[in-house]
Amino acid sequence: MVKGNILAVDDEQIILRSCERILSPEGYKVDTATSAREGLDLLGKNNYDLIITDIKMPEMDGIEFMRQVRTKNPDINIVVITGYPSQESIKEALSLRIIDYLPKPFSPIHLLEVAGHAMELKKKGAAPEPHVEDYTDEVAAKLDAIIAKYKNKPGSLIPVLQESQELVGYLPRVVQRHIAKNLKIPVSEVHGVVSFYSFFTMKPKGKHNVRVCLGTACYVKGAEEIIKKLSGGLKVEVGGITADKSFSLETVRCLGACGLAPVVVVDKDTHGSVNPVKAMDLLKEYE
Amino acid sequence: MERYRASVMLCGGTGCIAGNSLKVRNALVEELKNRELENEINVVMTGCNGFCAQGPVMTVYPEDIFYEKVSVNDIPVIVEEHFIKGRPVERLMYKEPLKKSTIPLMKDIPFFSLQVLRALRNKGLVDPEKIEEYIARDGYQAAAKALTEMTSEQIINEIKKSGLRGRGGAGFPTGMKWELCHKVKGEQKYILCNGDEGDPGAFMDRSIMEADPHVVLEGMIIGAKAIGASKGYIYVRAEYPLAVHRLQLAIQQAKENGLLGENILGTGFNLDIEIYQGAGAFVCGEETALMRSLEGKRGMPIPRPPFPAQKGLWGKPSVLNNVETFANIPQIIINGAEWYKSLGTEKSTGTKVFALSGAINNIGLIEVPMGIPLRKIIYDIGGGIPKGRKFKAVQLGGPSGGCIPEHLLDTPVTYEDIVQTGAIVGSGGMVVMNDLNCMVSVAKFFLEFTTDESCGKCPPCRIGTTVMLDLLTNITEGRGKEEDMEILQDIAKDIISTSLCGLGQTAPNPVLTTIKYFRDEYESHIKDKWCKTGVCKDLCTFYIDEEKCKACGVCKRVCPQNAISGEKKVPHRIKQELCIQCRSCYEACKFDSVNIGPVALREILKEDLPAQEILRNMHAAALAGKEE
Amino acid sequence: MPRLTVDDLKRIKEEYKAAFTLREGGQRAKITVHMGTCGIAAGARKIMEAIIDEINKNNIKDVIVTTSGCAGLCSKEPMATVEIINEAPVKYVLLNEEKIRKIFKEHVIEGKAAEEYALAVGSETAY
């Protein structure tokens, strides 16, 4: 299995070749580009989990390259390699949200560590993002309206996030940044709240959202079986979304409808006394 | 003596005579004569039979049919229909006002008769979206009394005397909490209501907020007057949209009617209440965490003191009470502390609402006097365990509570007695488990919950629960070691003594109580690799006792894997290579012929022999081994 | 809406108590559908729709339909209570559309409780 797709961009062939030599045997698929232009071309054609780029390059430099990457892939992981780190260039690179920095010359172990770290970030779901179509100008304007409503009220972050999630469906990082900027609080604080409460999600939801209650009464009556059946039937993990985006699967801590246990909620419909063996039948009417 | 075909006993008591029974008798005799029945039907005047209100009354023997309110005009019909055609006249037959049908009376059904409704007194009676209906049931009378006739001190004293303890779980005396806050000086104080019912298996607060939202507001008004607050928040889980909707409506109606806002009921008292939707974090049930959450931050607890009554929301003196606590307040103010104390025990007064669920016939919301034995709740109110299964344990207090076994079912439900068992009364979730539940898995379920919900502030809770969960996972998946139980208990002790808030201090309870009461289950998981309930898939083998099997085919039909072979009249057999241990056959079999054996059996049963034969051979071999 | 005083509260209470107990409200019957989360999840809305449909179809004017919260016995939802004037209320359980239509015909129109679907008659003791 391929561990991840990596794009390496550097005007020095030797760097590119050593990237390939170090990363390929470890299970990464590495594409190389000797210029920023070439890199952008490849980015247009393929999906990458990580970009490793030099800063000093002729024609278009790494900073400009990253800027252009960010317009299309605001959340792709980027690592910078450079032999001459200047305050200025690092500052710029940081503002473009690089995840790490590799000084030349780098050791194979260091490179592998950085790549491994990037894949981990991606797996955690922190990075895959955002579907640009979910953050249009129109959405941004609506977010501003929500924020304006609460702006001078203390303790308004949670209601703002709730309404924003209602609007967008989830809270991708770009939305969190937008909220942070306009409420004039650090992004870390916003993210801290988003990641703390189970109600908030950073992953998009399917056309139909399936929530399995994991309250004690439901557990006692076979909720775990239901999750297994649905997860197997939809071919999706808990917290995930099906390939065709039609269903997402979540668990929820007690809906308080214990009399109907086990309970599954699809969108806004509550289904009670669900037979675990037939759990998939529930979804038929939503297809 | 002449023999009559039938006799009519007509009441000649004063009441019936006043109702013209003499005329009725004359008309009857006359009519019988006309029809030439005078020798067949005997008419007798009797003394008063006590049913004067229904008079004139008469009884026809031998059928024993009782007619009431008979008039002269009815006589031809009775004679024609009853005496000639043999069809009693239903229209005139006696109807017992309530027993006219076979429908039982509410008071004859233990589910209803053993309950005492105080916090739930409006349950199912008022339209929660109409303030007038609440007012019609004495609503806001208590608030009026508190605002016009009582001082803050008097209110606090009454609540203190009543012995009411916080219904959210910890059971702290409500009156003392109020007094503490009342005594703190402050311009701005807050009255807060905790509707963040996070215990899995609990829905008391949801029901109250949905069915009777005004009682929560009224309780808060009284609390606000007691402590001197002018602003209140109700913190409700976002998972309860209906409760949020109804509370919002209730607040709006109360404001329109001058029952909230400025100058309430013209008394000059002001209180504004807002709803705040929580975002799902169990730890927010802890009061300092809930206040952080109201401030829009991560809901993490902070050390006390200072207590919220001194420094709470936004650093101001605040009182937080649970929904059910507030629902009790108006009744105490109206009826007095003595009335409230008349139920319950000395230290646990009044009633408690429980959400009864799980493997029990009557699932629902119940309110019972404190001190009632668990057995009464489960067998009388709950109606016992369905489908003839056996009771195994009742879980009280959710992830902070514990599992109480059969032999402790006579424990009275009070804060003190339940703690003795290792569980807690908690907020009121009561989940019944039967013999199909594996107690190790139940402990694991709760640990998964607390591991997930630990806010992460204190390492003993964050890391300790994770380590405990790993050990439990090992045990349920067949990697358990003998020393695991001791390690679990050691870690539990450390987590309990070193965590900051209630979540960590109680998180190990489900594990500790299951080890205490169901040690044999842990041992059979660890030593024999055998989950006798068939819940832990890696620790069981399903096989059919072919001597008991009636070859009815039920198990074959429910098997999702088509793993069961056998025709009609040919005992069925489970193909071990195909079996996924889903337990469907075990639950479906009406003859108890599906057995659950240790996992080691699986390989052996792959030989295509009947299970008994193999087991017998093994047994014989073992015996032979012993003899040698 | 006027702002209430303590006296208003008492007046409203008396007024609505009258309406509440049917007698002086000029109504003959009251049907309460229990609509808490459990009830709704179990299908209480359909029950409500069926009742309203029956009322419209039969052009009935003297029956109040109302909702209330959870009746407490979640495993028997959906539930409804039918109260005919001067009679004890009857609680019906485990309803579906067909059953409630039958109950409507037998109990509300013809005045005879539909025994087969009834759980209990009378009210709970509340203190």
Side-chain angles (χ1 to χ4, degrees):
Chain A
M1 219 185 94
V2 180
K3 271 192 195 159
N5 293 317
I6 298 175
L7 173 65
V9 186
D10 200 310
D11 55 331
E12 289 178 68
Q13 279 284 351
I14 184 155
I15 297 286
L16 295 177
R17 270 205 298 277
S18 56
C19 279
E20 267 186 299
R21 214 176 45 238
I22 297 163
L23 293 168
S24 297
E26 293 297 323
Y28 296 97
K29 189 176 172 299
V30 184
D31 288 348
T32 57
T34 49
S35 72
R37 284 247 167 265
E38 207 182 315
L40 288 173
D41 276 356
L42 282 169
L43 266 169
K45 287 181 212 150
N46 308 316
N47 282 323
Y48 294 101
D49 304 309
L50 171 65
I51 299 172
I52 300 174
T53 180
D54 191 10
I55 290 187
K56 287 217 164 147
M57 291 187 286
E59 278 179 78
M60 187 195 294
D61 70 2
I63 299 291
E64 180 55 29
F65 169 65
M66 286 191 285
R67 222 171 255 141
Q68 296 206 14
V69 169
R70 279 283 176 248
T71 59
K72 283 189 190 137
N73 291 298
D75 283 276
I76 195 166
N77 288 321
I78 305 178
V79 170
V80 159
I81 26 174
T82 181
Y84 320 97
S86 71
Q87 279 276 326
E88 202 52 33
S89 62
I90 288 299
K91 209 173 139 194
E92 285 220 65
L94 282 174
S95 77
L96 287 160
R97 303 190 315 281
I98 58 169
I99 59 163
D100 214 333
Y101 157 75
L102 270 174
K104 274 190 227 176
F106 49 82
S107 69
I109 293 174
H110 198 165
L111 178 63
L112 283 172
E113 259 178 32
V114 166
H117 173 63
M119 295 310 139
E120 203 119 292
L121 275 182
K122 163 122 193 176
K123 212 161 73 194
K124 274 187 191 151
E129 276 233 19
H131 299 272
V132 181
E133 68 262 30
D134 292 334
Y135 181 63
T136 55
D137 291 346
E138 196 192 332
V139 169
K142 283 186 183 158
L143 284 173
D144 285 340
I146 293 172
I147 294 163
K149 212 162 66 177
Y150 288 97
K151 204 154 192 173
N152 292 316
K153 269 185 87 173
S156 56
L157 177 56
I158 291 174
V160 167
L161 288 170
Q162 278 165 342
E163 286 195 31
S164 303
Q165 181 162 302
E166 178 90 356
L167 174 74
V168 188
Y170 64 118
L171 294 169
R173 291 200 294 183
V174 52
V175 170
Q176 293 179 38
R177 277 193 295 273
H178 185 114
I179 292 169
K181 201 172 144 199
N182 288 281
L183 280 178
K184 298 200 171 59
I185 51 178
V187 188
S188 60
E189 202 177 314
V190 175
H191 180 75
V193 168
V194 169
S195 60
F196 187 82
Y197 295 99
S198 62
F199 186 79
F200 299 126
T201 169
M202 289 170 51
K203 288 181 188 158
K205 292 202 175 113
K207 203 170 123 212
H208 302 290
N209 191 30
V210 183
R211 298 190 295 160
V212 183
C213 178
L214 264 189
T216 317
C218 292
Y219 171 80
V220 166
K221 292 198 167 176
E224 279 204 319
E225 266 321 293
I226 295 178
I227 293 172
K228 268 185 212 152
K229 277 270 150 29
L230 292 177
S231 168
L234 292 171
K235 297 194 183 63
V236 62
E237 293 289 306
V238 171
I241 176 169
T242 54
D244 63 355
K245 293 188 183 168
S246 55
F247 290 102
S248 46
L249 181 64
E250 288 179 359
T251 58
V252 49
R253 294 293 185 202
C254 202
L255 293 157
C258 310
L260 304 166
V263 174
V264 175
V265 180
V266 185
D267 301 332
K268 291 199 166 163
D269 309 336
T270 307
H271 301 269
S273 308
V274 176
N275 177 347
V277 181
K278 292 178 183 153
M280 278 305 287
D281 293 358
L282 268 186
L283 304 184
K284 275 187 188 147
E285 58 181 292
Y286 297 94
E287 271 159 8
Chain B
M1 196 177 134
E2 288 184 67
R3 293 187 67 85
Y4 295 99
R5 166 159 75 86
S7 296
V8 177
M9 306 294 181
L10 192 56
C11 179
T14 322
C16 285
I17 288 178
N20 272 339
S21 73
L22 289 176
K23 276 190 186 156
V24 170
R25 187 196 57 175
N26 294 343
L28 179 59
V29 171
E30 191 67 29
E31 184 72 12
L32 290 172
K33 235 181 230 161
N34 290 345
R35 297 295 196 119
E36 294 177 4
L37 289 168
E38 72 267 40
N39 295 327
E40 290 181 41
I41 315 275
N42 183 26
V43 178
V44 184
M45 284 301 266
T46 67
C48 178
N49 66 11
F51 279 92
C52 310
Q54 258 70 35
V57 298
M58 63 192 233
T59 315
V60 182
Y61 291 108
E63 299 105 308
D64 206 359
I65 284 175
F66 194 86
Y67 288 122
E68 61 176 358
K69 291 187 181 155
V70 183
S71 74
V72 173
N73 297 336
D74 294 320
I75 294 304
V77 184
I78 292 177
V79 171
E80 168 77 15
E81 290 295 318
H82 193 156
F83 299 132
I84 296 177
K85 293 181 181 153
R87 296 190 299 223
V89 185
E90 274 201 48
R91 176 174 61 84
L92 297 168
M93 274 156 66
Y94 171 66
K95 299 175 195 71
E96 259 184 87
L98 286 177
K99 280 198 188 136
K100 65 185 170 190
S101 69
T102 54
I103 307 173
L105 288 172
M106 217 75 152
K107 68 176 171 60
D108 294 333
I109 301 177
F111 179 80
F112 297 107
S113 65
L114 292 175
Q115 293 195 48
V116 181
L117 303 183
R118 285 181 171 182
L120 300 180
R121 64 189 289 276
N122 288 333
K123 165 178 96 167
L125 283 178
V126 299
D127 184 337
E129 305 196 352
K130 291 197 183 116
I131 191 171
E132 298 84 358
E133 296 208 357
Y134 179 70
I135 294 175
R137 299 258 313 149
D138 293 334
Y140 290 107
Q141 298 287 341
K145 184 174 173 189
L147 293 184
T148 55
E149 300 167 21
M150 294 171 87
T151 63
S152 298
E153 288 82 0
Q154 283 171 327
I155 297 172
I156 290 168
N157 266 335
E158 204 61 35
I159 302 298
K160 265 173 80 180
K161 267 199 301 187
S162 76
L164 174 67
R165 295 169 68 168
R167 294 294 189 239
F172 190 81
T174 305
M176 275 172 66
K177 210 180 208 177
W178 288 11
E179 187 172 43
L180 200 61
C181 189
H182 170 71
K183 285 184 175 159
V184 176
K185 287 204 174 65
E187 282 288 295
Q188 177 73 62
K189 293 183 186 175
Y190 295 102
I191 184 98
L192 312 173
C193 174
N194 185 354
D196 188 49
E197 189 167 49
D199 273 18
F203 51 94
M204 300 75 54
D205 297 346
R206 172 180 68 71
S207 278
I208 294 175
M209 292 185 284
E210 282 176 10
D212 202 9
H214 285 285
V215 78
V216 181
L217 302 184
E218 190 174 3
M220 287 179 77
I221 294 172
I222 297 166
K225 159 96 184 192
I227 64 166
S230 58
K231 173 89 194 170
Y233 289 96
I234 308 177
Y235 189 97
V236 192
R237 298 176 75 196
E239 282 92 340
Y240 287 175
L242 189 62
V244 170
H245 167 75
R246 289 192 174 153
L247 280 169
Q248 253 155 4
L249 212 60
I251 290 176
Q252 190 194 326
Q253 289 170 350
K255 275 186 184 158
E256 283 167 2
N257 285 287
L259 293 163
L260 278 179
E262 284 182 10
N263 194 14
I264 294 173
L265 287 166
T267 60
F269 184 76
N270 308 327
L271 176 68
D272 193 30
I273 295 181
E274 253 184 78
I275 294 174
Y276 193 90
Q277 289 191 49
F282 177 65
V283 70
C284 288
E286 204 279 343
E287 58 179 3
T288 59
L290 184 143
M291 289 174 198
R292 296 297 82 71
S293 183
L294 269 170
E295 290 166 3
K297 301 191 182 119
R298 286 165 74 93
M300 288 159 95
I302 54 167
R304 293 173 296 189
F307 289 96
Q310 299 151 327
K311 266 187 165 190
L313 182 63
W314 286 301
K316 308 285 187 216
S318 311
V319 158
L320 174 77
N321 286 125
N322 162 273
V323 168
E324 190 189 332
T325 314
F326 279 125
N328 274 301
I329 300 289
Q331 290 302 303
I332 298 177
I333 294 299
I334 287 191
N335 300 310
E338 289 306 319
W339 165 85
Y340 189 78
K341 275 202 307 200
S342 66
L343 285 181
T345 64
E346 194 194 334
K347 284 183 180 160
S348 301
T349 57
T351 57
K352 173 82 192 87
V353 181
F354 287 98
L356 192 57
S357 68
I360 191 144
N361 274 314
N362 297 330
I363 294 171
L365 198 69
I366 58 165
E367 182 167 4
V368 289
M370 284 273 189
I372 187 174
L374 280 168
R375 192 182 299 280
K376 219 167 178 168
I377 295 183
I378 288 162
Y379 287 96
D380 295 342
I381 297 178
I385 318 300
K387 293 180 193 161
R389 300 227 76 99
K390 259 185 70 192
F391 171 88
K392 190 180 226 173
V394 55
Q395 213 283 342
L396 251 75
S400 308
C403 296
I404 300 176
E406 163 86 36
H407 75 270
L408 292 175
L409 275 188
D410 293 313
T411 309
V413 178
T414 65
Y415 289 102
E416 307 77 51
D417 292 294
I418 295 293
V419 163
Q420 293 300 316
T421 68
I424 58 167
V425 170
S427 62
M430 202 180 260
V431 184
V432 178
M433 308 191 181
N434 64 16
D435 53 353
L436 289 174
N437 290 117
C438 160
M439 299 316 283
V440 185
S441 301
V442 166
K444 183 176 147 230
F445 165 77
F446 282 114
L447 248 277
E448 273 169 3
F449 181 89
T450 31
T451 309
D452 227 40
E453 295 292 338
S454 170
C455 77
K457 183 167 184 156
C458 313
C461 170
R462 181 182 70 232
I463 300 167
T465 54
T466 309
V467 174
M468 284 178 79
L469 178 60
D470 284 347
L471 287 171
L472 286 171
T473 308
N474 284 345
I475 295 173
T476 56
E477 290 177 0
R479 297 184 302 273
K481 298 195 202 74
E482 291 206 21
E483 63 268 27
D484 285 353
M485 269 191 285
E486 298 320 307
I487 302 176
L488 278 172
Q489 285 169 306
D490 282 349
I491 302 175
K493 221 163 54 194
D494 295 339
I495 297 175
I496 289 171
S497 56
T498 54
S499 295
L500 174 64
C501 81
L503 190 150
Q505 288 161 7
T506 57
N509 284 352
V511 182
L512 291 177
T513 51
T514 48
I515 292 183
K516 188 167 164 195
Y517 299 123
F518 302 95
R519 197 177 183 93
D520 55 326
E521 280 194 44
Y522 279 84
E523 280 170 353
S524 100
H525 276 73
I526 295 171
K527 290 182 194 150
D528 310 332
K529 309 293 172 210
W530 186 6
C531 174
K532 290 178 181 167
T533 57
V535 170
C536 304
K537 312 273 177 243
D538 299 320
L539 297 178
C540 59
T541 306
F542 288 82
Y543 64 93
I544 293 173
D545 184 333
E546 295 183 18
E547 280 158 18
K548 276 192 192 168
C549 178
K550 301 269 188 287
C552 67
V554 166
C555 57
K556 262 183 85 171
R557 279 196 293 280
V558 298
C559 180
Q561 288 293 97
N562 286 324
I564 300 179
S565 63
E567 306 295 312
K568 260 201 174 151
K569 293 185 183 161
V570 180
H572 301 338
R573 205 170 286 176
I574 299 172
K575 291 190 191 116
Q576 296 300 328
E577 325 60 278
L578 293 178
C579 178
I580 52 165
Q581 289 82 38
C582 70
R583 212 169 61 164
S584 302
C585 54
Y586 179 80
E587 284 172 55
C589 183
K590 295 197 171 42
F591 307 102
D592 275 341
S593 59
V594 180
N595 291 341
I596 300 172
V599 66
L601 212 56
R602 228 182 270 177
E603 277 308 306
I604 303 164
L605 287 180
K606 279 185 184 163
E607 295 171 37
D608 198 22
L609 273 175
Q612 282 69 27
E613 211 163 299
I614 295 178
L615 290 172
R616 257 198 302 272
N617 291 344
M618 282 168 65
H619 191 62
L623 280 179
K626 254 185 206 163
E627 278 161 21
E628 278 163 20
Chain C
M1 268 247 191
R3 297 178 59 84
L4 301 183
T5 63
V6 179
D7 290 335
D8 291 335
L9 213 53
K10 291 193 177 124
R11 181 179 48 76
I12 291 183
K13 180 187 149 184
E14 293 313 319
E15 276 173 24
Y16 274 88
K17 210 159 203 169
F20 206 61
T21 48
L22 290 178
R23 287 184 189 89
E24 281 155 46
Q27 306 292 339
R28 186 174 60 79
K30 176 166 125 179
I31 311 174
T32 308
V33 183
H34 299 281
M35 287 176 98
T37 296
C38 283
I40 292 173
R45 282 198 206 288
K46 284 217 175 76
I47 305 300
M48 191 64 161
E49 284 163 18
I51 295 171
I52 292 177
D53 182 51
E54 287 292 328
I55 287 184
N56 292 338
K57 261 200 328 217
N58 294 292
N59 196 23
I60 286 174
K61 299 266 194 283
D62 55 356
V63 172
I64 321 170
V65 184
T66 177
T67 63
S68 83
C70 176
L73 194 52
C74 310
S75 48
K76 301 248 193 297
E77 295 278 9
M79 294 170 73
T81 305
V82 175
E83 187 180 355
I84 306 283
I85 187 160
N86 292 331
E87 284 180 28
V90 178
K91 264 201 176 56
Y92 292 101
V93 294
L94 295 171
L95 296 175
N96 59 28
E97 216 186 302
E98 195 187 321
K99 288 185 195 171
I100 192 71
R101 286 186 194 273
K102 212 169 153 212
I103 291 165
F104 193 89
K105 183 171 169 286
E106 290 180 12
H107 196 171
V108 180
I109 299 181
E110 294 165 10
K112 193 175 170 303
E115 295 180 16
E116 51 199 316
Y117 309 129
L119 170 77
V121 59
S123 331
E124 282 174 86
T125 3
Y127 293 84

